[in-house]
Amino acid sequence: MHDGKPAPDPEALMRSRFSAFALDLSDYVLHSWHPEHRPPELESDPALRWVRLEVLESTGGGLFDAEGFVEFRAHYRDGGTPGVMTERSTFVRHDGRWVYQGPV
């Protein structure tokens, strides 16, 4: 999906966004964010490493759905110290593709 192919559903988009954060592909992260909600830019933090994603629940996002939700835990290391971020995210169809809208 980092190659321009659209994600088939919100869970796939969440997984590709996590990978993009881990690989510091900020252009992809911004492009996969709903234009009305995305920040103007992302700053890299060399001390922050995203290391593992757990998808806890994924709902919606079917062929006829306009919205889907993904609840996840993202594990990271910040300056060597482990941490976890938990979020329930909303994804919507925009211009025919799934995009991240934001946390619920």
Side-chain angles (χ1 to χ4, degrees):
M1 280 163 263
H2 300 154
D3 61 1
K5 261 186 174 172
D9 56 53
E11 183 176 340
L13 181 57
M14 181 63 239
R15 292 181 183 283
S16 72
R17 283 175 55 85
F18 178 84
S19 296
F21 272 109
L23 297 169
D24 200 23
L25 301 174
S26 58
D27 287 345
Y28 178 83
V29 173
L30 289 170
H31 180 71
S32 64
W33 216 312
H34 193 287
E36 292 177 12
H37 301 278
R38 74 175 157 231
E41 63 183 11
L42 293 176
E43 289 188 34
S44 292
D45 181 349
L48 185 65
R49 299 304 244 178
W50 296 98
V51 295
R52 184 166 57 99
L53 177 69
E54 290 177 82
V55 173
L56 306 174
E57 183 181 10
S58 182
T59 58
L63 187 58
F64 300 107
D65 292 330
E67 185 176 68
F69 301 91
V70 178
E71 185 173 352
F72 65 91
R73 266 190 216 119
H75 298 261
Y76 62 88
R77 290 183 136 329
D78 189 359
T81 303
V84 178
M85 179 187 109
T86 302
E87 181 177 299
R88 180 172 168 82
S89 301
T90 305
F91 294 83
V92 296
R93 288 192 197 266
H94 179 73
D95 290 340
R97 64 184 179 87
W98 287 106
V99 293
Y100 171 76
Q101 187 169 28
V104 174

